[in-house]
Amino acid sequence: MKASPARCANLRRALPGLLISVLTLLGGAPAAQGRARVVSLDQCADQYVLALAPRIEIVALSKRARQADSFTRASAAGLPLRRADSETVLAERPTLVVRYWGGDSALLRDLHARGVAVADIDDAATFAGVETNVRRVAAALGRPAAGEALIGRMRGELARASGAWRGQEALYLTSAGFTAGPDTLVGAMLAAAGLKDLSRRPGYQPVPLEALALSPPAVLVEGFFGGGWAATQYWSPMRNPVIGGLARSRPMVRLPGSILGCPAWFAADGAAVLARAAPRA
């Protein structure tokens, strides 16, 4: 008997959900098998999972885990990389999913419905906020001591960087023409190295070229430039002659992109980079 077109359409719509259910049933109850199965949904979550989880428990990382702007990319070698969608993630039978921004509402809904634990990384504008993130993910992984070790490493870097620039003014610049205010994690990096953020406005905003020309900072801090200040998009404000003049007459410190894209313990490495560039008395 031939199925009607309406019935075929209904079956096609139901197939993704049926496939997910079958995969879950085939996997049994992974939590009862003893070993955790950890999946990371985005590049920031990759950093936390690679640093804190036992390698044997990591069943999937995000597609960006081995990119050049991933701080822990070397540790990702040999581990599976997966898309952050319901079918792919649930096929891994995770017991814990770690995320910063990855995964859509449908995936999160499916994880909740199946009782999969999710550890969220919050946006953090301070090193205290980073410590909260580290402790939360470490606790979810059952690795609190490893979390405290990362926090200790971070605090050590901050202590060594403290006050290096003695209050001189700095302006953070990205290749797209944005800067960061003191209430951001970049602002916290500057402050940790003894720099005063020339940007007084909150959050991230376009570089104020007029104010920059009238009151130039003592040092420029580059972020996400790759090939240097001139190697950027043709339309970027960073091509403005004001910026070019400052780049030739002021110290410039480049922060690696791998420490800028995630509110994590290695933000302290940014303070250390800045501190090493400070003039010696």
Side-chain angles (χ1 to χ4, degrees):
M1 181 177 178
K2 189 174 181 180
S4 68
R7 185 171 181 179
C8 289
N10 289 335
L11 285 171
R12 282 195 298 271
R13 283 194 293 270
L15 276 176
L18 288 171
L19 179 57
I20 290 171
S21 297
V22 169
L23 289 169
T24 303
L25 289 171
L26 287 175
Q33 297 173 4
R35 184 180 297 159
R37 297 179 61 82
V38 182
V39 171
S40 166
L41 295 187
D42 54 69
Q43 190 184 54
C44 184
D46 295 335
Q47 317 307 307
Y48 279 81
V49 168
L50 288 167
L52 292 168
R55 189 175 179 88
I56 197 169
E57 294 182 356
I58 303 173
V59 296
L61 299 169
S62 84
K63 287 286 192 175
R64 290 191 53 81
R66 297 177 198 154
Q67 297 296 313
D69 57 348
S70 172
F71 186 79
T72 57
R73 60 189 175 276
S75 299
L79 290 170
L81 309 184
R82 300 287 186 260
R83 297 188 306 273
D85 59 64
S86 289
E87 182 177 331
T88 303
V89 172
L90 291 175
E92 299 294 342
R93 297 177 289 117
T95 59
L96 175 67
V97 167
V98 182
R99 66 182 296 269
Y100 177 40
W101 54 265
D104 59 16
S105 58
L107 171 56
L108 298 179
R109 188 168 56 248
D110 288 336
L111 292 171
H112 178 74
R114 287 159 178 78
V116 179
V118 177
D120 288 303
I121 299 164
D122 291 335
D123 199 15
T126 65
F127 288 103
V130 170
E131 291 190 10
T132 298
N133 278 333
V134 171
R135 288 194 173 105
R136 179 186 301 120
V137 177
L141 290 164
R143 305 267 289 176
E148 294 305 315
L150 283 185
I151 289 171
R153 173 192 181 280
M154 182 180 77
R155 290 179 177 178
E157 293 283 7
L158 293 175
R160 287 186 286 273
S162 180
W165 281 90
R166 299 182 179 86
Q168 294 193 60
E169 284 194 326
L171 186 70
Y172 172 74
L173 306 169
T174 71
S175 59
F178 282 80
T179 188
D183 64 335
T184 65
L185 195 53
V186 169
M189 291 183 209
L190 299 180
L195 286 163
K196 184 178 180 181
D197 196 339
L198 185 65
S199 176
R200 305 287 189 265
R201 296 170 59 192
Y204 295 89
Q205 67 281 156
V207 172
L209 292 173
E210 296 82 2
L212 192 57
L214 294 172
S215 180
V219 59
L220 298 176
V221 178
E222 295 180 343
F224 299 110
F225 270 72
W229 75 270
T232 186
Q233 299 99 330
Y234 182 80
W235 48 264
S236 170
M238 294 301 96
R239 295 235 178 222
N240 189 286
V242 171
I243 301 294
L246 289 174
R248 288 185 288 271
S249 63
R250 296 287 191 281
M252 295 193 72
V253 185
R254 182 177 300 168
L255 293 177
S258 60
I259 66 176
L260 293 171
C262 177
W265 65 96
F266 45 77
D269 291 40
V273 169
L274 294 169
R276 286 195 293 270
R280 301 294 177 232

